[in-house]
Amino acid sequence: MLKRKINPQDATKIKKYFDECKNVVVFTHTSPDGDAIGSSLALKEYLQRKGKNVSVIVPNVFPDFLKWMNESDKIVLYDRQRAFANNLINMADLVCCLDFNMLSRIDELEACVRRSAARKILIDHHLGPDHFADIIISCPECSSTCELLFRVFEAIGGLSNLSLHGAEDLYAGMCTDTGGFTYNSNDPDIFMIIAELLRKGIDKDIIYRRLFNTYTLDRYRLMGYILHEKLVQIQDLHASYFCVSREELKRFNFLKGDMEGVVNMPLAIRGQKLSISLREDTEKPVVWISVRSYDDFSARELAERFFNGGGHFNAAGGHIDGTIEEAEEVCKKAIEAYREQLMDK
Ligand code: 5GP
Ligand code: MN
């Protein structure tokens, strides 16, 4: 038995919406990750098996390592298929928003959601959801939206309708949002859910390989270059940062996603508490920043204070408008500002 995270009134209402709908659109956030795509496709699969017409619409392109998922080729990219998407949105009588808390996270799709007269459901695990939906299932203590969606299926008595493909999608999202169950994943419920997904027939070892062991040689070399040449370790503070310029990215034929997860690597250094990555945009005068931390050091607070950003407690991000050199100065100040907290006590 899973702990109850969804109240019965909400479950009843969702069941009613799922039963009564005919044409559904599922939205997820800009630059969708594994949890965003996994939850969206799992919900699509689930509702299709109930005989509904369902389309997943995302603001922009998603990474190649998610393209093994069933029907990922049918995902509509709003920045490329606007007219087609608008037509689907106009026809929809149910809009499901997954893995984002604020409409600003879906860029131009925000206006579409606001305009739509359809019923709206939000299912998400980020803090502080906007109140734009008729039903809001918000669970910040859940590891992923995929975990939460599983709980929704369970709460509405729908697990028998979860297919193998749906189970694979959910596992992929849970796995990516927890770094292969290496963080944010101490809730025993997570492993009860995985047991259920395994009973549906998923091969978790193959899914892991498809998600994580998919580097191009260029990406692998870029990672090596960063660790060897670029990493700045502040030994007494158990903290590190690295800056990667536009030119360096070009040298390694940078593709979107190639820097994903690199910020986690310095946390493998013994005793490390904080890792910051600074990546210059390949076109605009912006530096994108990722912050990762261990234990009681708040990556979110640092990202909010210094990098115009936010995120989760141990995994956050932000940006600096300016050059990589300017961003590096901000980064050094940010680390110094936490000297007390980072130093050995
Ligand atoms: P990443 O470093 O992978 O880009 O982001 C890590 C986490 O921080 C993600 O959960 C992401 O949603 C959040 N995040 C990244 N950038 C921002 C930002 O500018 N603002 C806020 N509020 N969250 C961010
Ligand atoms: Mn997520």
Side-chain angles (χ1 to χ4, degrees):
M1 268 289 275
L2 302 179
K3 291 184 287 289
R4 198 168 86 191
K5 303 267 185 184
I6 293 157
N7 77 52
Q9 293 92 312
D10 282 342
T12 306
K13 208 164 158 194
I14 290 185
K15 189 166 182 324
K16 179 174 150 71
Y17 281 20
F18 282 177
D19 285 341
E20 292 176 359
C21 65
K22 211 164 146 237
N23 299 309
V24 186
V25 291
V26 179
F27 293 127
T28 193
H29 60 77
T30 301
S31 302
D33 57 10
D35 191 30
I37 296 295
S39 56
S40 299
L41 288 175
L43 182 56
K44 173 177 157 87
E45 174 84 13
Y46 181 90
L47 290 171
Q48 280 178 172
R49 281 165 65 103
K50 289 172 66 72
K52 316 295 179 174
N53 301 316
V54 190
S55 305
V56 174
I57 304 176
V58 303
N60 62 348
V61 68
F62 59 93
D64 284 347
F65 69 80
L66 301 173
K67 293 192 174 158
W68 55 270
M69 287 189 203
N70 192 46
E71 297 209 34
S72 61
D73 56 332
K74 299 209 175 74
I75 293 175
V76 181
L77 306 179
Y78 194 68
D79 61 351
R80 297 193 192 162
Q81 297 161 273
R82 189 169 308 243
F84 180 62
N86 281 334
N87 195 35
L88 293 169
I89 297 164
N90 290 337
M91 303 267 292
D93 50 20
L94 179 65
V95 167
C96 298
C97 296
L98 301 183
D99 200 39
F100 65 91
N101 53 355
M102 288 178 291
L103 283 174
S104 58
R105 293 280 286 126
I106 56 173
D107 292 333
E108 289 167 313
L109 281 171
E110 169 168 3
C112 303
V113 174
R114 290 201 191 276
R115 226 181 312 131
S116 168
R119 289 171 160 177
K120 299 182 187 86
I121 303 176
L122 170 67
I123 300 174
D124 179 49
H125 71 130
H126 297 91
L127 283 170
D130 263 357
H131 286 266
F132 62 85
D134 303 292
I135 308 176
I136 295 176
I137 306 294
S138 166
C139 181
E141 69 269 27
C142 283
S143 66
S144 56
T145 297
C146 281
E147 176 195 328
L148 183 54
L149 186 59
F150 181 96
R151 292 176 183 280
V152 169
F153 292 152
E154 194 213 27
I156 64 177
L159 282 186
S160 59
N161 190 45
L162 179 65
S163 65
L164 171 58
H165 287 313
E168 287 178 335
D169 299 337
L170 291 182
Y171 186 79
M174 291 171 68
C175 193
T176 49
D177 257 24
T178 58
F181 304 101
T182 60
Y183 48 79
N184 240 345
S185 45
N186 281 328
D187 181 354
D189 277 7
I190 291 174
F191 297 88
M192 308 254 283
I193 293 171
I194 295 171
E196 198 52 47
L197 300 177
L198 288 166
R199 276 186 212 107
K200 293 279 180 184
I202 66 161
D203 185 328
K204 70 173 185 54
D205 305 348
I206 287 181
I207 295 175
Y208 183 94
R209 228 154 68 203
R210 286 174 177 165
L211 292 172
F212 295 109
N213 296 354
T214 60
Y215 298 158
T216 59
L217 183 60
D218 275 327
R219 176 184 164 147
Y220 211 55
R221 297 260 196 236
L222 173 62
M223 286 163 54
Y225 171 72
I226 289 169
L227 295 181
H228 192 254
E229 307 281 333
K230 305 296 299 187
L231 188 69
V232 180
Q233 173 76 4
I234 299 122
Q235 200 61 24
D236 58 333
L237 299 190
H238 315 281
S240 66
Y241 72 88
F242 57 81
C243 301
V244 192
S245 70
R246 184 173 300 157
E247 287 66 37
E248 288 168 322
L249 293 170
K250 287 194 177 139
R251 206 187 312 157
F252 290 91
N253 304 310
F254 175 76
L255 296 173
K256 197 171 154 46
D258 280 357
M259 286 289 292
E260 197 82 26
V262 182
V263 64
N264 294 306
M265 301 184 76
L267 286 182
I269 298 168
R270 188 186 304 147
Q272 200 82 337
K273 292 178 186 164
L274 172 66
S275 168
I276 303 177
S277 145
L278 301 96
R279 167 176 65 88
E280 194 173 24
D281 193 276
T282 48
E283 275 128 43
K284 294 174 284 191
V286 180
V287 176
W288 299 106
I289 290 145
S290 290
V291 186
R292 297 293 184 271
S293 66
Y294 270 154
D295 303 328
D296 56 359
F297 188 91
S298 174
R300 177 172 57 226
E301 190 197 298
L302 188 148
E304 280 172 354
R305 262 177 77 187
F306 289 91
F307 298 128
N308 310 299
H312 305 280
F313 190 86
N314 291 127
H319 72 277
I320 293 281
D321 292 313
T323 64
I324 189 82
E325 291 80 13
E326 287 161 352
E328 179 172 7
E329 289 311 309
V330 178
C331 177
K332 286 183 189 166
K333 283 204 189 88
I335 294 174
E336 275 305 318
Y338 290 95
R339 171 165 284 276
E340 284 290 297
Q341 217 186 317
L342 290 166
M343 223 163 36
D344 274 331
K345 301 238 162 58

